[in-house]
Amino acid sequence: MRSAKMWTIFMCLVLSFFARIQSLSVTVNDVECVYEYVLYEGDTVSGNFVVVDHDIFWSSDHPGIDFTVTSPGGNTVQNIKGTSGDKFTFKAPTHGMYKFCFHNPYSTPETVSFYIHVGHIPSEHDLAKDEHLDPINVKIAELREALESVTAEQKYLRARDARHRHSNE
């Protein structure tokens, strides 16, 4: 029973770590925004963005693109000005829908490769307790017994079938 609980906790941790990863490309003419829902206050939101093939079109006087992250309450969480790409990380001040916007002040459309990850590390009170797992463990035991009964019935029927086959020869 103890190993089943540890396995369940481990799988919850793995799923919560890998569940919220997104990678995409956005063509920015003027302003383009991407939205991502953050489930829990305090989650770590991280990512990066790169303007693809900017060296071909950009000269040294190109102003770059601007990147702004806005919280569900409308507050600016991150603001990066005039760049061809950067990394970002912040703790979500609240749960809800976050807005990630790219602003291209130049008239040439730019393709931005964008990656975002919302990580949640559950606290101890978020994890399942023994009393939460007890009904599941009871159902697993019931299924195990039912499966054993079916297996025993199959063995009985096979043996009976074999006896009948040999008695008719």
Side-chain angles (χ1 to χ4, degrees), residues 12 28 65 73 82 87 102 108 111-113 115 128 147 153 164 169:
C12 288
V28 183
I65 62 166
K87 297 177 183 179
F102 300 95
T108 306
T111 301
V112 178
S113 177
Y115 165 84
L147 183 59
E153 183 70 17
H164 286 294
E169 293 176 0

Side-chain angles (χ1 to χ4, degrees), residues 21 46 49 55 59 64-65 77 82 87 102-103 107 129 138-139 163 167:
I21 298 175
S46 61
F49 61 95
D55 292 332
S59 61
I65 62 166
V77 179
K87 297 177 183 179
F102 300 95
H103 175 247
S107 61
K129 309 262 188 293
V138 167
K139 289 296 180 191
R163 185 185 72 196
S167 65

Side-chain angles (χ1 to χ4, degrees), residues 26-116:
V26 177
T27 300
V28 183
N29 292 313
D30 181 27
V31 175
E32 288 294 329
C33 297
V34 176
Y35 297 85
E36 182 71 21
Y37 193 84
V38 175
L39 289 173
Y40 302 98
E41 177 182 325
D43 280 358
T44 301
V45 181
S46 61
N48 59 62
F49 61 95
V50 175
V51 178
V52 182
D53 295 330
H54 74 277
D55 292 332
I56 297 171
F57 303 107
W58 287 21
S59 61
S60 60
D61 62 341
H62 191 287
I65 62 166
D66 300 333
F67 175 71
T68 305
V69 180
T70 308
S71 72
N75 300 321
T76 300
V77 179
Q78 283 274 313
N79 195 13
I80 301 171
K81 296 273 187 195
T83 183
S84 62
D86 210 335
K87 297 177 183 179
F88 60 91
T89 299
F90 62 91
K91 294 274 187 200
T94 184
H95 73 282
M97 189 67 72
Y98 282 75
K99 185 163 99 172
F100 301 82
C101 291
F102 300 95
H103 175 247
N104 179 10
Y106 216 53
S107 61
T108 306
E110 301 287 355
T111 301
V112 178
S113 177
F114 179 58
Y115 165 84
I116 184 170

Side-chain angles (χ1 to χ4, degrees), residues 130-145:
D130 284 338
E131 59 268 17
H132 300 129
L133 297 176
D134 285 344
I136 295 169
N137 289 331
V138 167
K139 289 296 180 191
I140 290 171
E142 288 173 356
L143 286 171
R144 184 174 45 240
E145 290 304 312

